[in-house]
Amino acid sequence: MKAMQENTFYIVDKDFHITDFNDTAKKIHIGLKASDICYRAIMNRSEPCERCPVAGNSSVTSQMLFDPYYSCFVESIFSEIGNGQYGVISRPTRNNERATANIDAALGFFEGFINTFTSTYYLDLKTAKFTAFKQNPNYKMYGQHGDWSLFDDYIHDMIHISDREELYKVTRIDYIKERLSKEERYFIDVRDFGSGYERCYKFYVIRGADFDHAIIAFLDITPQMLAKYELLSVRDLVKAAKWTAKVDADGNVTSVVFSNEVRQIAGYNDENDFPNDIDFYRSLAHPDDLQRAIECFATAALDKSGKTDFDCQYRLKRKDGAYMWVRSAARMTRNQDGVATESVGIFVDLNDRYLKEEKQRELEETQIALRNALEEAKQSSRAKTVFLNNMSHDIRTPMNAIIGFTNLAEKNADDKEKLIDYFSKIQTSSNYLLSLINDVLDMSRIESGNFIIKETDANLLEILHDFSIMVQTTAKDKQLEITYEKINIENEYIVCDKVRLNQVLLNFMGNSIKFTPPGGHIKASVKQISSTDPKRATFEFSVKDDGIGMSSDFLEHVFEPFAREDHAPQGTGLGMSIAKSIIDMMGGTIQVETEKGKGTKFTLIQSFDISTQKAIEKEVNTKTNLNHEKAKTILLAEDNELNREIAEEVLTELGFKVDSVENGQLAVEAIQAKDYDLILMDIQMPVLDGYKATQQIRNLPNKEKARTPIIAMTADAFEEDKQRAIDSGMSGHISKPFHPDKILELISENM
């Protein structure tokens, strides 16, 4: 206290830096140091004082200032001492009348500010603590001082459900700090039930003396907002339906009397169908709302202070069985000990308002859903545009090779060595083009839900052997070294979809071959790992390369359809998406480890039912070789002239006699006129398609002819197409384009 009676002395330069100060200043302003900004360190301000001579705001060298550290007015004397510096002496004022007048003026302004608002709070943004300057009596349950988190309770208890989310948002400490760093104040309108009926407030957040404090204020604007929000005014409450109830010491309703207006609001006529019975009334309350309403009433009844009134909104069943929203509110009559004995209440129909709000919410949700759908459609459109652009490029690349080498073959028909080279490249390009088409077809089947996993008995080691042969040529052409490793294989006989398992492994290997430069190394391995089910075997398949790897950004999208990294040379961007879908359908898991410039590792963990060697051998022994002792005669039904010519040439070279027809009707007539060992039937043909032709053949009176093997040879390549062919009576299915070895194998199985 003695230090406060002594003068404080400072030297301040033209940039407001304190360059020196005396011991009294040091005692009052703990931690004060040279180079501090004077108005911040001494006056706790964010900018120079209004009449500061140093700032050039005044020529007055003696003035009264309110010093927050003295907590009173001080008289400050400024004197220019040269070199752009000022000496400042401050002391508690001896001019009591002048000081009192200034303090009274400040307090008068503050009091006017406080009285303008219904409630005002001072919030410390550093500690998140509040102090109430003025408080609505209904809010005193939340305290005069405390943590700002109590404000969440107020929002939940008092604020209209439609306004809560926004008020939650704008009263977060971080939000307040950020908002007040850009503007002096902000506000929103909210509806409040705390005063016993609805009021509307303008909720203000105002920057305090500095950026670490804020003033929270409520301004009652109910009269202006009655029309906008359809608030319940006092007049509404007077017109509301009435009810009274007797209450026991435990806050339970012992008896109740309803006015006819209550009954009419709920669609009832009189006391006969809506008795004065609390149990009957509770049976009408919605099950999800009943307990809340009972607890709300009990809380009000048991509050002996009388500060809590019953006010609850809930759903009530109308006479027609539909639920409606109502509001029930009441005040308690209490005895001299504060115990509630009776309640007098009102009953208000809120259904129209709730329906209106519900429709508004539904409209907003619909608008959001439409916006989301539009954005998804745009993204889908963009993805498909990228896909079509990629497909256009990727299809044209092999087509250009096919057309180009075909032209070169025509010009060099006499050069056998060149022809062999050209045809080899045409074959490679054709196979790549076919793989593109197959990817698109697979993705289409996956998206439509028609992709089927067909499990059969298989030998895992044979699958791996076939897999290694398939990739051997491609890897050799690119000068890549591939090593294979089998670890702890105890159950080689399994039940699986061989085709789909091979497809996944080939996809892994294909990516590694594609993105590993010549001279690189790829390691493929399969390891049997422990399984808790003795009837199942679990394997870890992995393909690891030392290629270019993937970026971490692309890795997040590697399984998305049409996804391709910028450096990807070609492909639909569907391979990994298809592989992931197949693995999911098989019940496995996939993991990708990659590092840019260092390579990629694909890992599949998959469990299979264990089969037996006998089952596999039985399958192998059922296959028969074609007996060429007598040339077989085949009927070919194909409407496309070029396809028919190719098939005739291939079949003739394989040693068959071939008769051809252009549609299904001619095929039916041909089999009746002549005996054939087998029929190759296209599906989509004029006059009579392949399915109907097959059905007519199966119904021929001549049972020998009716049993003639019929194989679908068609561009309809989906699994469901194969099944439909079998269901129509066909013996097998081969998709175009076909390989001679494949058609020979299928014919052998059916002759």
Side-chain angles (χ1 to χ4, degrees):
M1 293 296 294
K2 182 179 180 182
M4 292 183 62
Q5 306 303 318
E6 299 172 0
N7 294 341
T8 57
F9 176 77
Y10 316 85
I11 296 177
V12 181
D13 67 18
K14 59 183 178 60
D15 295 319
F16 308 101
H17 291 100
I18 298 172
T19 59
D20 201 1
F21 48 87
N22 66 355
D23 288 338
T24 304
K26 187 186 302 183
K27 293 174 185 177
I28 294 173
H29 303 290
I30 305 299
L32 185 68
K33 60 182 182 298
S35 79
D36 282 348
I37 302 297
C38 63
Y39 54 82
R40 291 178 185 164
I42 300 171
M43 305 302 292
N44 196 27
R45 295 175 60 94
S46 59
E47 55 187 14
C49 302
E50 288 82 358
R51 294 189 299 152
C52 176
V54 180
N57 297 333
S58 174
S59 58
V60 178
T61 58
S62 178
Q63 53 185 284
M64 302 296 294
L65 296 171
F66 187 82
D67 188 323
Y69 291 95
Y70 277 118
S71 297
C72 68
F73 279 82
V74 297
E75 184 176 19
S76 294
I77 302 171
F78 293 78
S79 177
E80 190 168 359
I81 59 177
N83 299 321
Q85 298 190 100
Y86 286 80
V88 185
I89 298 175
S90 291
R91 60 193 175 200
T93 180
R94 294 187 179 89
N95 188 340
N96 293 326
E97 290 183 6
R98 186 177 179 187
T100 301
N102 279 286
I103 292 172
D104 287 345
L107 291 176
F109 168 78
F110 186 68
E111 185 177 350
F113 174 84
I114 296 297
N115 289 336
T116 301
F117 295 94
T118 308
S119 302
T120 51
Y121 302 84
Y122 196 60
L123 175 61
D124 188 323
L125 297 174
K126 281 186 174 180
T127 63
K129 302 283 187 183
F130 74 89
T131 299
F133 290 146
K134 179 183 180 183
Q135 196 169 31
N136 186 320
N138 294 287
Y139 306 155
K140 288 184 178 178
M141 68 183 82
Y142 304 108
Q144 189 79 13
H145 308 276
D147 292 328
W148 188 238
S149 59
L150 290 172
F151 198 74
D152 286 352
D153 296 336
Y154 156 71
I155 295 174
H156 178 270
D157 296 342
M158 302 293 191
I159 295 299
H160 192 285
I161 188 171
S162 299
D163 300 336
R164 288 176 190 166
E165 185 175 349
E166 183 65 15
L167 192 56
Y168 277 129
K169 172 187 171 184
V170 303
T171 55
R172 302 301 87 191
I173 293 292
D174 290 343
Y175 182 92
I176 294 174
K177 286 180 179 179
E178 182 182 2
R179 190 82 180 262
L180 293 185
S181 69
K182 300 172 184 175
E183 50 191 310
E184 292 284 343
R185 68 189 64 193
Y186 62 89
F187 62 86
I188 65 167
D189 294 338
V190 295
R191 284 165 286 176
D192 179 294
F193 294 100
S195 51
Y197 56 94
E198 277 183 283
R199 307 294 298 176
C200 192
Y201 293 99
K202 196 172 285 293
F203 174 83
Y204 283 92
V205 181
I206 306 167
R207 190 190 298 165
D210 54 45
F211 289 98
D212 293 327
H213 297 84
I215 296 171
I216 310 297
F218 289 78
L219 181 64
D220 191 336
I221 56 171
T222 303
Q224 303 96 298
M225 304 306 289
L226 277 171
K228 177 178 178 181
Y229 286 120
E230 299 181 7
L231 302 178
L232 293 178
S233 66
V234 175
R235 292 187 301 277
D236 296 322
L237 295 175
V238 170
K239 295 177 182 178
K242 312 295 190 304
W243 60 273
T244 60
K246 297 292 184 181
V247 185
D248 65 17
D250 296 324
N252 300 311
V253 174
T254 58
S255 64
V256 65
V257 176
F258 299 103
S259 68
N260 277 333
E261 289 83 2
V262 172
R263 298 182 173 94
Q264 289 165 7
I265 287 174
Y268 292 86
N269 299 317
D270 52 39
E271 192 174 339
N272 290 327
D273 56 0
F274 193 125
N276 291 319
D277 185 322
I278 189 61
D279 290 331
F280 171 79
Y281 184 77
R282 287 175 175 173
S283 72
L284 301 180
H286 193 287
D288 293 343
D289 301 340
L290 176 59
Q291 191 59 36
R292 174 170 55 84
I294 292 173
E295 291 174 358
C296 186
F297 185 89
T299 300
L302 295 174
D303 181 7
K304 294 183 179 181
S305 70
K307 295 178 180 179
T308 305
D309 293 323
F310 170 63
D311 193 343
C312 188
Q313 298 179 32
Y314 50 91
R315 287 163 290 182
L316 197 74
K317 186 185 290 184
R318 292 173 48 87
K319 188 174 182 179
D320 60 11
Y323 281 100
M324 63 180 296
W325 279 97
V326 299
R327 177 180 180 184
S328 188
R331 292 204 170 177
M332 305 293 167
T333 301
R334 302 178 185 275
N335 61 23
Q336 59 184 5
D337 297 324
V339 177
T341 58
E342 190 177 21
S343 66
V344 179
I346 55 98
F347 187 87
V348 183
D349 181 356
L350 296 181
N351 209 45
D352 287 344
R353 181 185 307 175
Y354 267 89
L355 290 175
K356 189 179 295 183
E357 291 175 355
E358 187 175 338
K359 287 180 180 178
Q360 180 62 30
R361 281 195 296 270
E362 289 177 356
L363 178 61
E364 291 172 357
E365 289 172 0
T366 301
Q367 290 173 339
I368 292 171
L370 288 173
R371 284 196 296 270
N372 292 339
L374 178 60
E375 182 58 31
E376 287 178 8
K378 287 179 179 178
Q379 290 179 356
S380 177
S381 177
R382 286 192 291 269
K384 288 180 180 178
T385 299
V386 171
F387 165 68
L388 290 174
N389 288 339
N390 290 341
M391 283 296 292
S392 175
H393 169 269
D394 293 341
I395 289 175
R396 287 174 183 274
T397 298
M399 282 302 299
N400 180 64
I402 293 169
I403 294 170
F405 286 118
T406 300
N407 291 333
L408 288 173
E410 289 178 352
K411 294 178 181 178
N412 297 274
D414 298 330
D415 191 331
K416 185 177 180 180
E417 189 174 333
K418 284 187 176 181
L419 285 178
I420 293 173
D421 180 51
Y422 296 155
F423 289 142
S424 174
K425 290 173 180 175
I426 290 172
Q427 182 69 43
T428 300
S429 298
S430 300
N431 289 337
Y432 174 69
L433 184 58
L434 183 60
S435 73
L436 292 178
I437 296 170
N438 287 336
D439 276 353
V440 176
L441 293 178
D442 279 345
M443 201 65 212
S444 174
R445 282 185 283 178
I446 289 169
E447 291 185 345
S448 65
N450 292 321
F451 197 90
I452 300 171
I453 299 295
K454 287 186 65 176
E455 295 185 331
T456 58
D457 295 301
N459 185 317
L460 178 61
L461 298 183
E462 286 184 5
I463 293 174
L464 298 176
H465 177 263
D466 294 343
F467 162 72
S468 66
I469 291 175
M470 288 184 211
V471 301
Q472 182 176 312
T473 302
T474 309
K476 184 177 179 181
D477 290 343
K478 202 173 177 183
Q479 301 172 17
L480 299 174
E481 180 188 357
I482 301 182
T483 57
Y484 300 91
E485 186 177 22
K486 296 185 283 289
I487 306 170
N488 300 331
I489 306 299
E490 297 178 0
N491 303 102
E492 61 180 282
Y493 299 104
I494 58 174
V495 179
C496 71
D497 188 326
K498 320 187 261 196
V499 174
R500 298 309 174 194
L501 177 58
N502 231 324
Q503 185 174 355
V504 170
L505 298 178
L506 285 171
N507 192 286
F508 292 172
M509 183 62 78
N511 273 275
S512 290
I513 291 174
K514 187 186 301 181
F515 297 113
T516 302
H521 177 255
I522 301 172
K523 179 181 179 181
S525 68
V526 58
K527 177 172 67 174
Q528 185 164 350
I529 57 181
S530 60
S531 174
T532 56
D533 187 345
K535 295 182 180 180
R536 290 175 66 80
T538 302
F539 300 91
E540 179 185 281
F541 303 88
S542 69
V543 176
K544 182 179 181 181
D545 63 64
D546 54 8
I548 61 176
M550 290 180 269
S551 66
S552 57
D553 290 339
F554 179 72
L555 184 58
E556 297 177 7
H557 307 283
V558 69
F559 297 123
E560 295 176 6
F562 315 125
R564 294 202 310 185
E565 197 162 14
D566 293 339
H567 64 248
Q570 57 187 10
T572 59
L574 296 175
M576 290 308 298
S577 178
I578 293 170
K580 178 67 164 60
S581 298
I582 293 173
I583 291 167
D584 288 344
M585 283 187 275
M586 293 194 305
T589 60
I590 183 174
Q591 182 180 356
V592 184
E593 302 169 58
T594 187
E595 187 174 349
K596 198 78 170 175
K598 293 189 177 181
T600 301
K601 180 181 180 182
F602 298 96
T603 303
L604 163 65
I605 306 293
Q606 183 69 55
S607 295
F608 305 100
D609 286 340
I610 298 172
S611 182
T612 63
Q613 185 173 1
K614 188 175 181 180
I616 305 298
E617 290 172 347
K618 182 179 178 182
E619 179 186 346
V620 172
N621 292 334
T622 58
K623 296 184 178 181
T624 59
N625 293 321
L626 183 62
N627 182 1
H628 286 286
E629 292 179 3
K630 179 183 176 182
K632 305 293 183 178
T633 304
I634 293 177
L635 175 62
L636 173 65
E638 170 63 70
D639 66 315
N640 184 280
E641 186 177 350
L642 289 177
N643 286 341
R644 191 165 62 246
E645 182 180 348
I646 293 170
E648 287 174 351
E649 287 288 338
V650 170
L651 292 169
T652 300
E653 286 188 4
L654 290 173
F656 299 102
K657 294 179 181 179
V658 183
D659 290 342
S660 299
V661 292
E662 293 80 21
N663 59 61
Q665 183 61 49
L666 293 176
V668 175
E669 294 172 2
I671 190 67
Q672 289 176 296
K674 182 178 177 180
D675 292 335
Y676 291 96
D677 296 299
L678 182 136
I679 303 171
L680 290 175
M681 183 81 73
D682 189 18
I683 298 299
Q684 297 186 31
M685 294 185 292
V687 185
L688 195 67
D689 66 37
Y691 297 131
K692 292 178 182 177
T694 298
Q695 290 167 2
Q696 289 191 18
I697 292 171
R698 294 299 182 228
N699 292 325
L700 289 175
N702 187 325
K703 299 306 179 184
E704 284 296 321
K705 292 181 180 291
R707 286 194 291 268
T708 304
I710 303 173
I711 296 175
M713 188 169 68
T714 173
D716 296 337
F718 289 147
E719 195 65 37
E720 57 268 28
D721 297 320
K722 297 179 183 179
Q723 189 58 49
R724 186 178 176 188
I726 300 301
D727 292 342
S728 70
M730 293 184 179
S731 311
H733 177 285
I734 186 169
S735 57
K736 300 174 184 175
F738 60 83
H739 193 278
D741 290 344
K742 181 64 177 175
I743 196 169
L744 181 59
E745 179 185 343
L746 195 57
I747 291 172
S748 299
E749 292 174 358
N750 286 276
M751 277 191 179

